[in-house]
Amino acid sequence: METTHNPAGRTLDETHEMSFIDHLEALRWHIIRAAIAVVVFSTAAFLAKDFLFHDLILGPSRPDFWTYQMFCKLGQALNSPDLCLKKLTFDLQNRQMSGQLSMHISTSVIVGLALAFPYTFWELWRFIRPGLYPHERANSRGAVLFVSVLFLLGLLFGYYVAAPLSINFLASYQLDASIENQIDLQSYISTLTTMSLSCAFVFELPMIVYFLAKAGLVTPEVMRIYRKHAFVVILVIAAVITPPDVSSQLIVTIPIMLLYELSITIAKVVSRNRLQRLNADLAANQGVS
């Protein structure tokens, strides 16, 4: 028997099997509900303009930002005053007539997409889950929760660690003292959102490995063998999403490497459980024969 959905997303009688058109109709409703969630969060972000821009978006452009304050306290504890940021040497500018309105709308949509991600993934999971076998459903319990938590942790890491480091480095970098950094608003927001969202998706590595291990495509032995290669790839990723200074790259590389080691442990547990299930099925088949 197969659990199916009606067009509105409700569970139908398990004895009925859905046609291809029914699947498309069910998918359409899942997409519609996810889109509504994005619109709701985007509208809320658009209406909260002062908080969205003054506190959230423009926060890393001011010395009183939480991350800079923590580095300052660290500098005081280590007797290293250079870690205290007193001023960011750049000015944000808008050079287009409709530039600020356009950035208000586009930024609100990006924030809406980020906030609606857990619900969007849940809708996608509701569409996929009925097609799984019972043991696959049991083994994938909590998938939505873990994917959402990892996404939010990555987003927070990108916003509070990776993005401020990039903004601070790029804003203070000068070829000559006579050249002033007058940063376009679009460039600043693009850097902030790219850094934050990149870290959010990179933090999904453990869940990606989990599902690949469930499918038998990844094993802990392979991940251990290619650990050095993975380290090089992670360094490249860190170099892409961070400014070209060693400290920023290391700060981003370390948590990703920890996630890789965690992924090895996850792959080990999944592979062991998968092997036990295969042995149990083999023993059951031999008992029947």
Side-chain angles (χ1 to χ4, degrees), residues 198-272:
S198 297
C199 290
F201 287 109
V202 167
F203 268 54
E204 296 294 344
L205 177 63
M207 289 305 299
I208 294 174
V209 170
Y210 173 80
F211 286 112
L212 291 178
K214 293 291 292 182
L217 300 177
V218 169
T219 63
E221 292 77 18
V222 171
M223 294 187 69
R224 292 192 187 97
I225 292 173
Y226 289 99
R227 181 186 276 117
K228 294 181 180 179
H229 302 79
F231 179 68
V232 174
V233 173
I234 290 172
L235 284 176
V236 172
I237 294 174
V240 170
I241 66 176
T242 60
D245 69 294
V246 177
S247 59
S248 299
Q249 292 177 9
L250 286 177
I251 288 176
V252 173
T253 300
I254 290 173
I256 299 179
M257 281 302 302
L258 292 176
L259 289 172
Y260 186 84
E261 295 300 324
L262 175 62
S263 300
I264 293 178
T265 303
I266 292 173
K268 180 179 179 181
V269 174
V270 171
S271 298
R272 184 178 66 241

Side-chain angles (χ1 to χ4, degrees), residues 183-205:
I183 311 299
D184 186 74
L185 178 63
Q186 181 177 358
S187 176
Y188 169 83
I189 294 180
S190 176
T191 300
L192 178 63
T193 55
T194 300
M195 293 292 301
S196 301
L197 293 177
S198 297
C199 290
F201 287 109
V202 167
F203 268 54
E204 296 294 344
L205 177 63

Side-chain angles (χ1 to χ4, degrees), residues 103-253:
M103 291 310 301
H104 188 189
I105 296 173
S106 60
T107 304
S108 299
V109 172
I110 292 173
V111 172
L113 286 169
L115 293 178
F117 176 82
Y119 180 80
T120 302
F121 182 79
W122 180 65
E123 284 289 349
L124 176 63
W125 184 250
R126 287 180 63 199
F127 177 75
I128 295 174
R129 189 174 182 275
L132 301 178
Y133 291 105
H135 69 273
E136 292 175 333
R137 297 182 200 173
N139 293 331
S140 58
R141 287 176 181 171
V144 175
L145 175 63
F146 288 116
V147 167
S148 301
V149 169
L150 289 173
F151 180 84
L152 293 176
L153 288 176
L155 192 64
L156 291 174
F157 177 82
Y159 177 74
Y160 282 105
V161 179
L165 290 175
S166 298
I167 292 171
N168 183 29
F169 174 81
L170 296 174
S172 61
Y173 188 85
Q174 285 184 301
L175 296 175
D176 187 81
S178 62
I179 304 175
E180 296 182 358
N181 282 329
Q182 297 179 345
I183 311 299
D184 186 74
L185 178 63
Q186 181 177 358
S187 176
Y188 169 83
I189 294 180
S190 176
T191 300
L192 178 63
T193 55
T194 300
M195 293 292 301
S196 301
L197 293 177
S198 297
C199 290
F201 287 109
V202 167
F203 268 54
E204 296 294 344
L205 177 63
M207 289 305 299
I208 294 174
V209 170
Y210 173 80
F211 286 112
L212 291 178
K214 293 291 292 182
L217 300 177
V218 169
T219 63
E221 292 77 18
V222 171
M223 294 187 69
R224 292 192 187 97
I225 292 173
Y226 289 99
R227 181 186 276 117
K228 294 181 180 179
H229 302 79
F231 179 68
V232 174
V233 173
I234 290 172
L235 284 176
V236 172
I237 294 174
V240 170
I241 66 176
T242 60
D245 69 294
V246 177
S247 59
S248 299
Q249 292 177 9
L250 286 177
I251 288 176
V252 173
T253 300

Side-chain angles (χ1 to χ4, degrees), residues 35-53 56-57 104-116:
I36 291 174
V38 173
V39 170
V40 170
F41 281 110
S42 299
T43 303
F46 185 86
L47 295 176
K49 182 180 70 172
D50 292 339
F51 170 78
L52 175 63
F53 282 91
L56 190 66
I57 301 298
H104 188 189
I105 296 173
S106 60
T107 304
S108 299
V109 172
I110 292 173
V111 172
L113 286 169
L115 293 178

